[in-house]
Amino acid sequence: MTQQTADGRPGIAAAIIVHEGRVLMVRRRISEGKLSWQFPAGEVEPGETREDAAVRETKEETGLNVSAVKLLGERVHPATGRLMSYTACVVLSGTAHVADTEELAELAWVAHDQIPEYVPYGLFGPVQEHLDATLAS
């Protein structure tokens, strides 16, 4: 897939960050439809890979330095119509905090059994499978 949708909007890269048995989720100040809690994410910039965008957005939004491990998958998001890519990342350094106070209201490290409370409409299949494998221990 190209990194933009048919209407020319850039794709969105999301970082799936598992650390110490929990996954990092952020709550945007302005929700996109029913999307309130989500993964650190943002637009892929020209010349940037999906994985690099996920790493950059994580740093900008949460202050965490992460490394991309693997691309989990991509889809056109059913709620937003945006091309989404999801990259598994690991924490290299830093402590997660709301670094981008204009975009984010709060963040949380979410345990496996708490995910439905944050995302009641379910996760993209490959992301759920990754979290089931890495958090269910």
Side-chain angles (χ1 to χ4, degrees):
M1 287 186 176
T2 61
Q3 278 307 293
Q4 62 183 29
T5 51
D7 62 8
R9 293 186 299 172
I12 304 291
I16 314 305
I17 305 155
V18 172
H19 186 63
E20 296 179 350
R22 295 177 182 263
V23 63
L24 182 62
M25 300 199 76
V26 298
R27 188 170 66 80
R28 305 237 169 254
R29 288 202 173 278
I30 300 169
S31 60
E32 299 176 76
K34 63 181 179 178
L35 301 180
S36 179
W37 285 94
Q38 52 196 255
F39 302 107
E43 291 185 350
V44 179
E45 295 179 351
E48 190 175 43
T49 67
R50 299 166 292 195
E51 295 86 348
D52 288 346
V55 168
R56 176 185 50 77
E57 286 289 340
T58 298
K59 176 68 173 172
E60 290 174 4
E61 292 183 358
T62 72
L64 274 183
N65 292 303
V66 299
S67 177
V69 176
K70 71 175 180 176
L71 182 67
L72 298 173
E74 60 184 9
R75 67 171 173 173
V76 174
H77 197 284
T80 66
R82 301 293 292 267
L83 177 63
M84 293 287 306
S85 65
Y86 300 85
T87 299
C89 297
V90 293
V91 175
L92 297 177
S93 64
T95 301
H97 64 280
V98 175
D100 186 342
T101 55
E102 289 182 20
E103 269 196 51
L104 301 184
E106 61 183 314
L107 56 77
W109 287 102
V110 180
H112 187 258
D113 62 351
Q114 295 174 308
I115 293 171
E117 297 169 33
Y118 287 80
V119 188
Y121 43 83
L123 295 173
F124 178 46
V127 171
Q128 185 67 59
E129 291 164 17
H130 172 72
L131 294 175
D132 289 347
T134 55
L135 293 176
S137 48

